[in-house]
Amino acid sequence: MLTSKLEVLVEFGSKVDGPLLDKTLNELKSQDGVKEAVFKDGAIVVETTLPSTVVLDMVSRASGKRAVLQGFGETQSAVSMISSQSCCRNSVMGVIRFQQTAEGPLVADGCIDGLSTGLHGLHVHEVGDLSQGCDSIGAHYNPSNTVHGGPNDPPDKRHAGDLGNIVADETGRATFRIVDNVLKVWDIIGRSVAVTEKRDDLGKGPNPESKVDGDSGTSVACGIIARSAGVFQNPKRICACDGVVVWDEKDRPLAGKGRREGKRCCEKEK
């Protein structure tokens, strides 16, 4: 099965505890879905078929330390920080990473919180325009001008941006890893990705909207797809934009309320 390599930073401190590192690596290697786990250049590199969020949880449990994803994939990668484009109310928020594999398929790896329990459609859209939130991202990315379908349909029976459904659990979290044979990373950078309020019927429903968007309803969260770092391509340990260090960043939202201590996203400037 197609694997991805993850570069995981672990808060071991200035001097790595050798026995703890060995314990962490051995526990990772014993897990189904983990092909290899090694310590290299100050990070744990995991080759896996599992979603990155699952791997990070494994590393944290095994080491008892905080862990963050520093690099994803060995080849060209992209990322989208998606949100419901609102500020001070319950919102949907998450991260989706894309990797163009050397074998050809694209991997979409994500974790989204704040969804209603059940199935939700996931689609790449034509444009990366958030000027009107998710209302301005255009239709599904569809360079071949075909009808809507599912990710397992042939290219002439689906939109290129049709990635099917993700499943949110009872807490509202959807964790997923999708392998797609149609999309390419270089075609979607600068576009957007969105998750919908309802399940995607994959173009097989009775409603006329089925052939347009799978009758999946409005987009509840979206984000622009941007180029991102692969394994050992990102030396950053602090976010230059707001001064949040990588370890503090782990426990804070990607943007908005709670990102920086002492500042509320809807608080008026004095």
Side-chain angles (χ1 to χ4, degrees):
M1 190 174 179
L2 197 65
T3 61
S4 298
K5 283 192 177 180
L6 314 180
E7 177 192 355
V8 181
L9 296 182
V10 184
E11 196 177 21
F12 284 124
S14 58
K15 185 176 180 181
V16 177
D17 183 327
L20 178 60
L21 174 61
D22 290 340
K23 171 181 175 290
T24 301
L25 294 176
N26 288 333
E27 288 196 24
L28 285 171
K29 292 175 185 178
S30 70
Q31 301 297 318
D32 291 339
V34 175
K35 182 177 179 180
E36 184 60 278
V38 298
F39 188 68
K40 178 182 177 182
D41 297 338
I44 292 178
V45 180
V46 184
E47 185 174 357
T48 182
T49 59
L50 300 172
S52 59
T53 301
V54 173
V55 173
L56 288 176
D57 287 343
M58 287 179 175
V59 174
S60 293
R61 288 197 304 268
S63 65
K65 306 289 185 180
R66 289 190 292 183
V68 295
L69 184 64
Q70 183 77 350
F72 179 77
E74 291 185 290
T75 50
Q76 190 168 355
S77 300
V79 64
S80 179
M81 299 179 181
I82 77 165
S83 73
S84 52
Q85 304 300 310
S86 60
C87 181
C88 292
R89 60 183 176 86
N90 292 333
S91 62
V92 179
M93 183 174 290
V95 179
I96 304 175
R97 295 179 173 85
F98 301 90
Q99 174 202 0
Q100 187 63 51
T101 67
E103 294 83 354
L106 173 142
V107 173
D109 175 292
C111 181
I112 302 173
D113 288 303
L115 296 167
S116 59
T117 302
L119 294 171
H120 297 268
L122 184 70
H123 313 106
V124 172
H125 287 249
E126 290 178 339
V127 295
D129 178 5
L130 301 182
S131 60
Q132 300 176 52
C134 298
D135 292 332
S136 52
I137 60 177
H140 294 176
Y141 175 51
N142 184 21
S144 298
N145 195 29
T146 59
V147 297
H148 177 78
N152 295 323
D153 289 331
D156 62 342
K157 301 294 184 183
R158 58 167 279 191
H159 301 154
D162 293 341
L163 291 176
N165 289 295
I166 58 176
V167 184
D169 62 20
E170 64 278 1
T171 71
R173 168 169 285 192
T175 302
F176 54 91
R177 183 178 188 270
I178 298 169
V179 177
D180 188 78
N181 291 304
V182 174
L183 277 180
K184 303 297 181 185
V185 162
W186 46 80
D187 290 330
I188 65 174
I189 290 174
R191 302 188 190 277
S192 58
V193 61
V195 59
T196 58
E197 62 177 337
K198 300 189 299 182
R199 65 179 289 273
D200 185 335
D201 67 18
L202 309 182
K204 298 174 174 59
N207 191 304
E209 293 299 308
S210 176
K211 295 299 184 183
V212 178
D213 60 9
D215 192 25
S216 56
T218 60
S219 297
V220 295
C222 57
I224 297 171
I225 301 169
R227 191 182 303 276
S228 69
V231 171
F232 294 117
Q233 293 178 357
N234 181 16
K236 178 181 79 73
R237 296 296 184 272
I238 184 169
C239 181
C241 61
D242 55 19
V244 177
V245 297
V246 67
W247 302 114
D248 290 338
E249 192 173 42
K250 163 69 177 175
D251 299 319
R252 298 185 191 179
L254 298 168
K257 185 178 181 180
R259 172 67 179 176
R260 287 183 289 176
E261 291 182 352
K263 183 174 181 64
R264 299 175 59 187
C265 75
C266 286
E267 185 176 43
K268 293 182 178 179
E269 297 292 339
K270 297 181 180 179

